[in-house]
Amino acid sequence: MGALSITGIKPGSTSLKLTAGKITKTVPITVLSRNLLSYGPAEGNGLTATVNTDGSLHVTGTATGQWRGLSWTFPCPVQGTVKLSGTSIAGLSFNIKCLDAKGQQLGDQMNLGNSVMAIPAGTVSLFLNVISTEATPTAKDGDLRIQLEYGTTAHEWMRPDNTSLKGGVMN
């Protein structure tokens, strides 16, 4: 019996037709993005996020205060060690918090300063937020390419599978 190895080149869906003698099987194959984040349009606290055609976030506006911004909560897609990487906009920061079934934070938040972390046991969802770090926020107009991926190595940024998740505000 031989082994078959398939490597996905880019995200998407297709199928694989396998034939052995008179038996034929069609197997659906879905290649997912290595970027585990989910986000989408959001507005609040003086900031607006839209999704660019490449899947990056475009953020404009002036935050209503320091540590104010936008947020998205979505199911945690993996357990184990993850790496957070990305590009930022001066005066804005992004981080991810792991939440339990009651929405309580588990462990430390992930940010670029501690970008490799193990997802704590009991994590059911992730909370991504983009916040102003400025004591007196200034106007922003730029793109964020944030990536959370399984493992300890950062790869080239890739569009997340879900860029239509409606965001909210981070108070």
Side-chain angles (χ1 to χ4, degrees):
M1 190 92 168
L4 181 64
S5 176
I6 300 171
T7 302
I9 305 272
K10 63 181 183 175
S13 295
T14 189
S15 61
L16 179 63
K17 187 175 180 180
L18 303 170
T19 303
K22 294 182 180 182
I23 300 172
T24 299
K25 272 289 203 198
T26 301
V27 180
I29 297 174
T30 301
V31 177
L32 300 175
S33 172
R34 76 175 152 268
N35 191 341
L36 304 171
L37 296 177
S38 292
Y39 53 68
E43 186 172 356
N45 286 327
L47 296 174
T48 299
T50 56
V51 179
N52 293 318
T53 56
D54 71 353
S56 60
L57 278 174
H58 185 75
V59 180
T60 59
T62 305
T64 57
Q66 188 175 31
W67 314 126
R68 302 276 178 151
L70 304 170
S71 64
W72 298 263
T73 301
F74 53 94
C76 183
V78 298
Q79 295 296 314
T81 303
V82 293
K83 170 110 178 124
L84 178 64
S85 60
T87 60
S88 59
I89 299 169
L92 292 181
S93 178
F94 55 85
N95 60 58
I96 296 175
K97 296 175 183 172
C98 298
L99 306 177
D100 66 14
K102 294 181 180 179
Q104 300 300 308
Q105 182 176 337
L106 297 170
D108 295 329
Q109 71 182 24
M110 290 178 261
N111 54 46
L112 291 179
N114 63 342
S115 63
V116 174
M117 291 186 66
I119 301 285
T123 298
V124 296
S125 59
L126 298 178
F127 178 83
L128 165 66
N129 70 64
V130 174
I131 55 175
S132 173
T133 59
E134 299 171 319
T136 303
T138 58
K140 305 298 172 209
D141 186 359
D143 297 327
L144 294 173
R145 286 177 181 80
I146 307 169
Q147 181 153 289
L148 181 70
E149 56 190 305
Y150 189 74
T152 59
T153 304
H155 295 90
E156 184 177 329
W157 181 83
M158 179 181 274
R159 171 193 194 105
D161 290 321
N162 183 357
T163 57
S164 60
L165 178 66
K166 180 141 175 57
V169 296
M170 173 60 191
N171 292 317

